[in-house]
Amino acid sequence: MMKKYEELMRLCIESASKYRFEAAPNPMVSAIIYDEREDKIISQGVHRKYGENHAERDAVEKAGDCDFSDKTIIVNLEPCAHQGKTPPCADLIVEKGFKKVVIGTYDPNPLVCGQGILKIKNAGIEVVTGVLEDECKELNKVFIKNVTKKMPYVLVKIATTLDSKIVTAGGESKWITGEASREYVQKLRSQHFAILSGSGTVLADNPALTCRIKGERTPDRVIIDRHGKISFDYQVFRDDGARVFLATNNLNRDFPKNVTPVEFANFRDLFSKLYNLGVYSILVETGKTILTAIIKQEMADELYKFVSPKIFGTGLDFIGNLGVYKINEAYKLKFCDMEKVDEDVLIKAKFLYED
Ligand code: AOF
Ligand code: ZN
């Protein structure tokens, strides 16, 4: 049966993931009601929009007039135990008298956090936990960060040579990685609430910082320009429906209506303010200075490093001084995955912080 649960959990992950932006700040959740004896899916529910039905209730409603007493409900996140915008799903499951509940991962929301599972177990319903747990956690990594830290999830993307350089000794930087890697970045842009870059990159490259994949959402843009030096003629400021946040401490100028200035002391302060403005995840695409500051201030959750099979030798390193003088002072990460992207390699790693 475990193989079957995993197969159904994969279906939940796939359906839930379509509602990333609509469901936020809620997690992405889908639930399947399954008849084990008949090996048949009765219904599938999804949490489609913040404030609307949770996945479990959606699945129950879709099942219609059904006897749930011999049915299993598979859900990628622990059913909630609290009264929020909607009533508790754990209560619904108990009330409908399900036989079994199969859960991907627990809900880190302090209002839930094991209470949903407890309610269901206390009602005498069998509970299976940890089915495709890693995948379920990965699906909702943004929600997990948001609900536990009240901060956006921050993914830092870099593209370097094999010797970790981003500019040649002659000052050239385009292009280091291949076309497939750059397409991959477009996909990453479509999955984040905002892209962050700095005035240096804007002045040097005048990038659009949009997602060029047809039909995908254009992410908001966060531009760091502490002293308010750059003019609003650059592409990142054009009015294309995306919100533009200018992180600056110079408020003595007129801002276009699509540009919102955000004063900030440091990156923790900035990200906390952005979180309160509905920026739940950020893809960082900057040069060395800002990248170094974000990592030094322990604000990065994950790093995607695209590595091109080239060596520059002398050139600019992707990162600067982090104040690491002893090996045990190093910033620690955990490798999560590695894949070949055409001629390049993509290394995915998560930062490990002590707290
Ligand atoms: C579930 N199933 O489909 C989702 C859950 O304000 P509410 O009522 O929408 O509650 C939001 C919280 O409920 C959210 O922070 C998370 O802990 C949980 N989300 N739980 O059982 C779902 N979306
Ligand atoms: Zn719920």
Side-chain angles (χ1 to χ4, degrees):
M1 208 28 85
M2 212 49 182
K3 275 267 158 300
K4 188 71 198 180
Y5 293 156
E6 287 181 0
E7 180 193 321
L8 297 172
M9 196 61 83
R10 264 197 195 94
L11 287 181
C12 286
I13 293 172
E14 200 185 303
S15 303
S17 68
K18 294 182 183 141
Y19 298 89
R20 180 188 308 276
F21 298 108
E22 295 88 336
N26 273 356
M28 293 173 260
V29 189
S30 175
I32 288 176
I33 297 175
Y34 176 62
D35 186 328
E36 292 199 8
R37 262 186 328 201
E38 306 266 325
D39 183 24
K40 192 174 149 212
I41 292 177
I42 307 294
S43 66
Q44 180 167 12
V46 188
H47 180 51
R48 286 193 172 72
K49 199 168 191 295
Y50 179 69
E52 292 184 1
N53 269 351
H54 283 186
E56 298 89 324
R57 193 168 299 276
D58 190 42
V60 165
E61 284 182 5
K62 278 193 181 132
D65 191 17
C66 174
D67 175 6
F68 296 105
S69 66
D70 59 350
K71 303 296 185 296
T72 299
I73 183 161
I74 291 106
V75 57
N76 59 282
L77 189 77
E78 171 187 3
C80 66
H82 69 296
Q83 173 70 47
K85 289 199 180 312
T86 63
C89 294
D91 290 0
L92 178 74
I93 287 168
V94 172
E95 178 200 315
K96 295 292 171 190
F98 276 91
K99 182 164 192 287
K100 201 187 287 181
V101 183
V102 176
I103 297 168
T105 186
Y106 80 100
D107 184 346
N109 183 346
L111 294 170
V112 184
C113 214
Q115 296 304 309
I117 293 175
L118 203 64
K119 264 191 182 181
I120 294 165
K121 276 191 177 159
N122 284 346
I125 298 171
E126 186 185 341
V127 178
V128 180
T129 54
V131 175
L132 294 190
E133 186 163 19
D134 290 348
E135 288 87 337
C136 291
K137 279 197 168 137
E138 181 65 20
L139 172 74
N140 276 314
K141 63 186 177 187
V142 171
F143 167 73
I144 293 169
K145 174 85 189 283
N146 293 170
V147 81
T148 56
K149 300 278 191 321
K150 303 276 172 240
M151 291 286 265
Y153 190 88
V154 178
L155 190 148
V156 170
K157 173 239 123 184
I158 45 175
T160 77
T161 60
L162 197 48
D163 55 339
S164 288
K165 296 291 189 288
I166 51 171
V167 185
T168 66
E172 285 191 9
S173 61
K174 272 184 177 160
W175 296 102
I176 292 172
T177 47
E179 215 166 288
S181 292
R182 301 202 307 271
E183 257 165 48
Y184 198 117
V185 172
Q186 291 292 319
K187 194 172 87 188
L188 285 178
R189 287 182 178 180
S190 77
Q191 294 167 345
H192 286 79
F193 282 79
I195 308 173
L196 181 148
S197 199
S199 53
T201 306
V202 172
L203 291 171
D205 302 339
N206 190 16
L209 297 184
T210 53
C211 173
R212 287 183 281 278
I213 306 172
K214 255 207 157 103
E216 294 291 349
R217 174 181 174 275
T218 302
D220 292 340
R221 295 185 284 278
V222 179
I223 308 301
I224 315 289
D225 183 24
R226 198 179 273 278
H227 307 293
K229 289 182 302 203
I230 42 175
S231 88
F232 294 119
D233 299 330
Y234 288 93
Q235 285 204 79
V236 290
F237 297 114
R238 92 202 158 282
D239 193 355
D240 59 357
R243 298 185 297 173
V244 182
F245 298 103
L246 186 69
T248 184
N249 291 328
N250 175 10
L251 299 183
N252 287 328
R253 55 197 292 213
D254 292 329
F255 296 94
K257 69 174 192 327
N258 62 319
V259 177
T260 307
V262 184
E263 273 188 293
F264 71 112
N266 51 40
F267 280 103
R268 178 177 296 279
D269 181 40
L270 174 64
F271 290 170
S272 161
K273 285 174 176 158
L274 290 171
Y275 173 78
N276 290 320
L277 288 162
V279 176
Y280 299 120
S281 64
I282 301 173
L283 176 67
V284 174
E285 294 192 52
T286 62
K288 179 174 172 173
T289 312
I290 292 174
L291 178 93
T292 305
I294 288 175
I295 290 179
K296 193 165 184 182
Q297 291 174 32
E298 301 194 344
M299 285 295 110
D301 294 291
E302 193 166 4
L303 184 123
Y304 273 29
K305 187 181 191 207
F306 292 89
V307 182
S308 157
K310 299 182 182 93
I311 293 178
F312 289 171
T314 305
L316 191 71
D317 289 324
F318 80 91
I319 193 159
N321 188 1
L322 291 171
V324 174
Y325 296 98
K326 296 187 181 135
I327 287 179
N328 69 7
E329 290 169 350
Y331 286 69
K332 294 177 189 65
L333 296 92
K334 172 182 76 176
F335 285 131
C336 298
D337 204 358
M338 196 165 89
E339 61 184 272
K340 193 91 189 307
V341 183
D342 203 356
E343 75 253 40
D344 304 323
V345 164
L346 167 59
I347 301 166
K348 302 178 182 178
K350 286 193 175 141
F351 286 84
L352 302 172
Y353 298 118
E354 288 158 19
D355 59 2

PDB file of all heavy atoms in Angstrom, residues 26-27 29 47 50-52 54-56 77-80 82 84-86 89 107 109 112 143 147, ligand 1:
ATOM      1  N   ASN A  26      -1.212  31.082   2.250  1.00  0.00           N
ATOM      2  CA  ASN A  26      -1.484  29.707   2.684  1.00  0.00           C
ATOM      3  C   ASN A  26      -0.606  28.724   1.909  1.00  0.00           C
ATOM      4  O   ASN A  26      -0.085  29.058   0.843  1.00  0.00           O
ATOM      5  CB  ASN A  26      -2.965  29.363   2.445  1.00  0.00           C
ATOM      6  CG  ASN A  26      -3.836  29.777   3.622  1.00  0.00           C
ATOM      7  OD1 ASN A  26      -3.341  30.240   4.633  1.00  0.00           O
ATOM      8  ND2 ASN A  26      -5.123  29.593   3.471  1.00  0.00           N
ATOM      9  N   PRO A  27      -0.478  27.518   2.410  1.00  0.00           N
ATOM     10  CA  PRO A  27       0.338  26.512   1.705  1.00  0.00           C
ATOM     11  C   PRO A  27      -0.387  25.950   0.488  1.00  0.00           C
ATOM     12  O   PRO A  27      -1.583  26.183   0.308  1.00  0.00           O
ATOM     13  CB  PRO A  27       0.501  25.418   2.767  1.00  0.00           C
ATOM     14  CG  PRO A  27      -0.689  25.570   3.649  1.00  0.00           C
ATOM     15  CD  PRO A  27      -1.013  27.029   3.681  1.00  0.00           C
ATOM     16  N   VAL A  29      -1.939  22.839  -1.064  1.00  0.00           N
ATOM     17  CA  VAL A  29      -2.431  21.564  -0.519  1.00  0.00           C
ATOM     18  C   VAL A  29      -3.443  20.928  -1.452  1.00  0.00           C
ATOM     19  O   VAL A  29      -4.294  21.609  -2.034  1.00  0.00           O
ATOM     20  CB  VAL A  29      -3.090  21.757   0.880  1.00  0.00           C
ATOM     21  CG1 VAL A  29      -3.405  20.406   1.524  1.00  0.00           C
ATOM     22  CG2 VAL A  29      -2.217  22.581   1.808  1.00  0.00           C
ATOM     23  N   HIS A  47      -6.690  23.260  -2.453  1.00  0.00           N
ATOM     24  CA  HIS A  47      -6.868  24.591  -1.867  1.00  0.00           C
ATOM     25  C   HIS A  47      -6.505  25.578  -2.973  1.00  0.00           C
ATOM     26  O   HIS A  47      -5.338  25.780  -3.276  1.00  0.00           O
ATOM     27  CB  HIS A  47      -5.950  24.755  -0.647  1.00  0.00           C
ATOM     28  CG  HIS A  47      -6.074  26.091   0.004  1.00  0.00           C
ATOM     29  ND1 HIS A  47      -7.281  26.629   0.374  1.00  0.00           N
ATOM     30  CD2 HIS A  47      -5.154  27.030   0.338  1.00  0.00           C
ATOM     31  CE1 HIS A  47      -7.092  27.825   0.914  1.00  0.00           C
ATOM     32  NE2 HIS A  47      -5.801  28.088   0.884  1.00  0.00           N
ATOM     33  N   TYR A  50      -6.557  31.611  -1.279  1.00  0.00           N
ATOM     34  CA  TYR A  50      -6.527  32.057   0.117  1.00  0.00           C
ATOM     35  C   TYR A  50      -7.938  32.479   0.539  1.00  0.00           C
ATOM     36  O   TYR A  50      -8.606  33.216  -0.185  1.00  0.00           O
ATOM     37  CB  TYR A  50      -5.562  33.240   0.243  1.00  0.00           C
ATOM     38  CG  TYR A  50      -5.478  33.790   1.641  1.00  0.00           C
ATOM     39  CD1 TYR A  50      -4.890  33.055   2.658  1.00  0.00           C
ATOM     40  CD2 TYR A  50      -6.021  35.040   1.945  1.00  0.00           C
ATOM     41  CE1 TYR A  50      -4.818  33.555   3.944  1.00  0.00           C
ATOM     42  CE2 TYR A  50      -5.947  35.555   3.231  1.00  0.00           C
ATOM     43  CZ  TYR A  50      -5.354  34.794   4.224  1.00  0.00           C
ATOM     44  OH  TYR A  50      -5.289  35.281   5.500  1.00  0.00           O
ATOM     45  N   GLY A  51      -8.371  31.958   1.689  1.00  0.00           N
ATOM     46  CA  GLY A  51      -9.703  32.323   2.192  1.00  0.00           C
ATOM     47  C   GLY A  51     -10.782  31.342   1.771  1.00  0.00           C
ATOM     48  O   GLY A  51     -11.870  31.328   2.338  1.00  0.00           O
ATOM     49  N   GLU A  52     -10.489  30.539   0.763  1.00  0.00           N
ATOM     50  CA  GLU A  52     -11.490  29.585   0.294  1.00  0.00           C
ATOM     51  C   GLU A  52     -11.275  28.209   0.919  1.00  0.00           C
ATOM     52  O   GLU A  52     -10.384  28.018   1.739  1.00  0.00           O
ATOM     53  CB  GLU A  52     -11.465  29.525  -1.240  1.00  0.00           C
ATOM     54  CG  GLU A  52     -11.977  30.839  -1.823  1.00  0.00           C
ATOM     55  CD  GLU A  52     -12.079  30.842  -3.332  1.00  0.00           C
ATOM     56  OE1 GLU A  52     -11.774  29.818  -3.981  1.00  0.00           O
ATOM     57  OE2 GLU A  52     -12.456  31.909  -3.861  1.00  0.00           O
ATOM     58  N   HIS A  54     -10.354  24.643   2.201  1.00  0.00           N
ATOM     59  CA  HIS A  54      -9.123  23.868   2.257  1.00  0.00           C
ATOM     60  C   HIS A  54      -9.310  22.621   1.392  1.00  0.00           C
ATOM     61  O   HIS A  54     -10.442  22.250   1.048  1.00  0.00           O
ATOM     62  CB  HIS A  54      -8.801  23.491   3.699  1.00  0.00           C
ATOM     63  CG  HIS A  54      -8.233  24.632   4.483  1.00  0.00           C
ATOM     64  ND1 HIS A  54      -7.753  24.491   5.757  1.00  0.00           N
ATOM     65  CD2 HIS A  54      -8.048  25.943   4.138  1.00  0.00           C
ATOM     66  CE1 HIS A  54      -7.296  25.655   6.191  1.00  0.00           C
ATOM     67  NE2 HIS A  54      -7.464  26.553   5.231  1.00  0.00           N
ATOM     68  N   ALA A  55      -8.186  21.982   1.070  1.00  0.00           N
ATOM     69  CA  ALA A  55      -8.200  20.845   0.143  1.00  0.00           C
ATOM     70  C   ALA A  55      -9.111  19.701   0.628  1.00  0.00           C
ATOM     71  O   ALA A  55      -9.853  19.111  -0.160  1.00  0.00           O
ATOM     72  CB  ALA A  55      -6.780  20.329  -0.030  1.00  0.00           C
ATOM     73  N   GLU A  56      -9.062  19.407   1.929  1.00  0.00           N
ATOM     74  CA  GLU A  56      -9.845  18.294   2.477  1.00  0.00           C
ATOM     75  C   GLU A  56     -11.340  18.546   2.278  1.00  0.00           C
ATOM     76  O   GLU A  56     -12.086  17.657   1.865  1.00  0.00           O
ATOM     77  CB  GLU A  56      -9.559  18.118   3.976  1.00  0.00           C
ATOM     78  CG  GLU A  56      -8.118  17.771   4.316  1.00  0.00           C
ATOM     79  CD  GLU A  56      -7.236  18.995   4.537  1.00  0.00           C
ATOM     80  OE1 GLU A  56      -7.426  20.008   3.838  1.00  0.00           O
ATOM     81  OE2 GLU A  56      -6.338  18.930   5.392  1.00  0.00           O
ATOM     82  N   LEU A  77      -0.328  17.857   3.449  1.00  0.00           N
ATOM     83  CA  LEU A  77      -0.025  18.608   4.679  1.00  0.00           C
ATOM     84  C   LEU A  77      -0.997  18.175   5.775  1.00  0.00           C
ATOM     85  O   LEU A  77      -2.171  17.901   5.498  1.00  0.00           O
ATOM     86  CB  LEU A  77      -0.195  20.117   4.413  1.00  0.00           C
ATOM     87  CG  LEU A  77       0.274  21.053   5.509  1.00  0.00           C
ATOM     88  CD1 LEU A  77       1.800  21.172   5.505  1.00  0.00           C
ATOM     89  CD2 LEU A  77      -0.329  22.450   5.320  1.00  0.00           C
ATOM     90  N   GLU A  78      -0.480  18.139   6.989  1.00  0.00           N
ATOM     91  CA  GLU A  78      -1.327  17.778   8.137  1.00  0.00           C
ATOM     92  C   GLU A  78      -2.624  18.597   8.134  1.00  0.00           C
ATOM     93  O   GLU A  78      -2.581  19.819   8.020  1.00  0.00           O
ATOM     94  CB  GLU A  78      -0.536  18.095   9.422  1.00  0.00           C
ATOM     95  CG  GLU A  78      -1.343  17.972  10.682  1.00  0.00           C
ATOM     96  CD  GLU A  78      -0.565  18.450  11.911  1.00  0.00           C
ATOM     97  OE1 GLU A  78       0.580  18.935  11.770  1.00  0.00           O
ATOM     98  OE2 GLU A  78      -1.121  18.332  13.021  1.00  0.00           O
ATOM     99  N   PRO A  79      -3.767  17.949   8.282  1.00  0.00           N
ATOM    100  CA  PRO A  79      -5.033  18.695   8.329  1.00  0.00           C
ATOM    101  C   PRO A  79      -5.047  19.675   9.505  1.00  0.00           C
ATOM    102  O   PRO A  79      -4.534  19.356  10.580  1.00  0.00           O
ATOM    103  CB  PRO A  79      -6.085  17.586   8.518  1.00  0.00           C
ATOM    104  CG  PRO A  79      -5.437  16.355   7.957  1.00  0.00           C
ATOM    105  CD  PRO A  79      -3.986  16.494   8.293  1.00  0.00           C
ATOM    106  N   CYS A  80      -5.597  20.858   9.269  1.00  0.00           N
ATOM    107  CA  CYS A  80      -5.532  21.899  10.293  1.00  0.00           C
ATOM    108  C   CYS A  80      -6.470  21.595  11.456  1.00  0.00           C
ATOM    109  O   CYS A  80      -7.460  20.898  11.313  1.00  0.00           O
ATOM    110  CB  CYS A  80      -5.813  23.271   9.690  1.00  0.00           C
ATOM    111  SG  CYS A  80      -7.479  23.466   9.077  1.00  0.00           S
ATOM    112  N   HIS A  82      -7.319  24.280  13.663  1.00  0.00           N
ATOM    113  CA  HIS A  82      -7.765  25.572  14.180  1.00  0.00           C
ATOM    114  C   HIS A  82      -8.874  26.170  13.321  1.00  0.00           C
ATOM    115  O   HIS A  82      -9.046  25.814  12.153  1.00  0.00           O
ATOM    116  CB  HIS A  82      -6.578  26.545  14.181  1.00  0.00           C
ATOM    117  CG  HIS A  82      -6.168  26.923  12.776  1.00  0.00           C
ATOM    118  ND1 HIS A  82      -5.678  26.009  11.868  1.00  0.00           N
ATOM    119  CD2 HIS A  82      -6.222  28.113  12.130  1.00  0.00           C
ATOM    120  CE1 HIS A  82      -5.423  26.625  10.727  1.00  0.00           C
ATOM    121  NE2 HIS A  82      -5.751  27.896  10.856  1.00  0.00           N
ATOM    122  N   GLY A  84      -9.703  29.065  11.283  1.00  0.00           N
ATOM    123  CA  GLY A  84      -9.103  30.229  10.631  1.00  0.00           C
ATOM    124  C   GLY A  84     -10.181  30.878   9.802  1.00  0.00           C
ATOM    125  O   GLY A  84     -11.295  31.107  10.290  1.00  0.00           O
ATOM    126  N   LYS A  85      -9.864  31.162   8.528  1.00  0.00           N
ATOM    127  CA  LYS A  85     -10.891  31.683   7.631  1.00  0.00           C
ATOM    128  C   LYS A  85     -11.908  30.580   7.332  1.00  0.00           C
ATOM    129  O   LYS A  85     -12.998  30.834   6.860  1.00  0.00           O
ATOM    130  CB  LYS A  85     -10.248  32.186   6.343  1.00  0.00           C
ATOM    131  CG  LYS A  85      -9.462  33.465   6.556  1.00  0.00           C
ATOM    132  CD  LYS A  85      -9.234  34.190   5.242  1.00  0.00           C
ATOM    133  CE  LYS A  85      -8.460  35.469   5.424  1.00  0.00           C
ATOM    134  NZ  LYS A  85      -8.944  36.344   6.498  1.00  0.00           N
ATOM    135  N   THR A  86     -11.472  29.336   7.563  1.00  0.00           N
ATOM    136  CA  THR A  86     -12.357  28.183   7.346  1.00  0.00           C
ATOM    137  C   THR A  86     -12.280  27.288   8.595  1.00  0.00           C
ATOM    138  O   THR A  86     -11.315  27.356   9.342  1.00  0.00           O
ATOM    139  CB  THR A  86     -11.909  27.386   6.095  1.00  0.00           C
ATOM    140  OG1 THR A  86     -10.589  26.875   6.339  1.00  0.00           O
ATOM    141  CG2 THR A  86     -11.880  28.236   4.834  1.00  0.00           C
ATOM    142  N   CYS A  89     -10.049  21.288   9.427  1.00  0.00           N
ATOM    143  CA  CYS A  89     -10.180  20.095   8.578  1.00  0.00           C
ATOM    144  C   CYS A  89     -10.140  18.819   9.414  1.00  0.00           C
ATOM    145  O   CYS A  89     -10.759  17.827   9.070  1.00  0.00           O
ATOM    146  CB  CYS A  89      -9.067  20.055   7.547  1.00  0.00           C
ATOM    147  SG  CYS A  89      -9.192  21.390   6.369  1.00  0.00           S
ATOM    148  N   ASP A 107       2.137  20.287   9.732  1.00  0.00           N
ATOM    149  CA  ASP A 107       1.945  21.709   9.465  1.00  0.00           C
ATOM    150  C   ASP A 107       2.691  22.520  10.520  1.00  0.00           C
ATOM    151  O   ASP A 107       2.351  22.481  11.698  1.00  0.00           O
ATOM    152  CB  ASP A 107       0.439  22.032   9.499  1.00  0.00           C
ATOM    153  CG  ASP A 107       0.145  23.482   9.144  1.00  0.00           C
ATOM    154  OD1 ASP A 107       1.089  24.303   9.126  1.00  0.00           O
ATOM    155  OD2 ASP A 107      -1.030  23.804   8.879  1.00  0.00           O
ATOM    156  N   ASN A 109       2.643  25.572  11.143  1.00  0.00           N
ATOM    157  CA  ASN A 109       1.882  26.699  11.684  1.00  0.00           C
ATOM    158  C   ASN A 109       1.671  26.461  13.183  1.00  0.00           C
ATOM    159  O   ASN A 109       1.107  25.447  13.575  1.00  0.00           O
ATOM    160  CB  ASN A 109       0.524  26.775  10.962  1.00  0.00           C
ATOM    161  CG  ASN A 109      -0.309  27.961  11.421  1.00  0.00           C
ATOM    162  OD1 ASN A 109      -0.014  28.586  12.432  1.00  0.00           O
ATOM    163  ND2 ASN A 109      -1.343  28.260  10.657  1.00  0.00           N
ATOM    164  N   VAL A 112      -1.341  24.854  14.423  1.00  0.00           N
ATOM    165  CA  VAL A 112      -1.653  23.462  14.040  1.00  0.00           C
ATOM    166  C   VAL A 112      -0.608  22.536  14.679  1.00  0.00           C
ATOM    167  O   VAL A 112      -0.871  21.899  15.699  1.00  0.00           O
ATOM    168  CB  VAL A 112      -1.689  23.280  12.502  1.00  0.00           C
ATOM    169  CG1 VAL A 112      -2.123  21.853  12.145  1.00  0.00           C
ATOM    170  CG2 VAL A 112      -2.607  24.309  11.847  1.00  0.00           C
ATOM    171  N   PHE A 143       6.065  28.449   2.370  1.00  0.00           N
ATOM    172  CA  PHE A 143       5.090  28.549   3.463  1.00  0.00           C
ATOM    173  C   PHE A 143       5.752  28.259   4.811  1.00  0.00           C
ATOM    174  O   PHE A 143       5.512  28.954   5.797  1.00  0.00           O
ATOM    175  CB  PHE A 143       3.932  27.569   3.218  1.00  0.00           C
ATOM    176  CG  PHE A 143       3.048  27.367   4.419  1.00  0.00           C
ATOM    177  CD1 PHE A 143       2.167  28.359   4.831  1.00  0.00           C
ATOM    178  CD2 PHE A 143       3.109  26.185   5.150  1.00  0.00           C
ATOM    179  CE1 PHE A 143       1.370  28.182   5.954  1.00  0.00           C
ATOM    180  CE2 PHE A 143       2.314  26.003   6.276  1.00  0.00           C
ATOM    181  CZ  PHE A 143       1.440  27.004   6.678  1.00  0.00           C
ATOM    182  N   VAL A 147       5.567  31.004   7.684  1.00  0.00           N
ATOM    183  CA  VAL A 147       4.737  30.823   8.884  1.00  0.00           C
ATOM    184  C   VAL A 147       5.581  30.699  10.155  1.00  0.00           C
ATOM    185  O   VAL A 147       5.126  31.041  11.234  1.00  0.00           O
ATOM    186  CB  VAL A 147       3.764  29.624   8.696  1.00  0.00           C
ATOM    187  CG1 VAL A 147       4.439  28.292   8.966  1.00  0.00           C
ATOM    188  CG2 VAL A 147       2.534  29.770   9.583  1.00  0.00           C
TER     189      VAL A 147
HETATM  190  C1  AOF B   1      -5.322  22.239   5.650  1.00  0.00           C
HETATM  191  N1  AOF B   1      -5.689  22.146   4.360  1.00  0.00           N
HETATM  192  O1  AOF B   1      -5.824  22.948   2.308  1.00  0.00           O
HETATM  193  C2  AOF B   1      -4.668  24.225   3.873  1.00  0.00           C
HETATM  194  C3  AOF B   1      -4.246  24.300   5.230  1.00  0.00           C
HETATM  195  O2  AOF B   1      -7.271  30.851   7.453  1.00  0.00           O
HETATM  196  P1  AOF B   1      -7.410  29.434   6.969  1.00  0.00           P
HETATM  197  O3  AOF B   1      -8.646  28.759   7.538  1.00  0.00           O
HETATM  198  O4  AOF B   1      -7.363  29.307   5.472  1.00  0.00           O
HETATM  199  O5  AOF B   1      -6.174  28.600   7.560  1.00  0.00           O
HETATM  200  C4  AOF B   1      -4.887  28.796   7.068  1.00  0.00           C
HETATM  201  C5  AOF B   1      -3.923  27.840   7.710  1.00  0.00           C
HETATM  202  O6  AOF B   1      -4.377  26.502   7.539  1.00  0.00           O
HETATM  203  C6  AOF B   1      -2.543  27.867   7.074  1.00  0.00           C
HETATM  204  O7  AOF B   1      -1.700  28.784   7.695  1.00  0.00           O
HETATM  205  C7  AOF B   1      -2.080  26.448   7.274  1.00  0.00           C
HETATM  206  O8  AOF B   1      -1.598  26.239   8.583  1.00  0.00           O
HETATM  207  C8  AOF B   1      -3.351  25.660   7.095  1.00  0.00           C
HETATM  208  N2  AOF B   1      -3.539  25.351   5.662  1.00  0.00           N
HETATM  209  N3  AOF B   1      -4.547  23.284   6.054  1.00  0.00           N
HETATM  210  O9  AOF B   1      -5.682  21.383   6.468  1.00  0.00           O
HETATM  211  C9  AOF B   1      -5.410  23.081   3.458  1.00  0.00           C
HETATM  212  N4  AOF B   1      -4.410  25.223   3.002  1.00  0.00           N
END
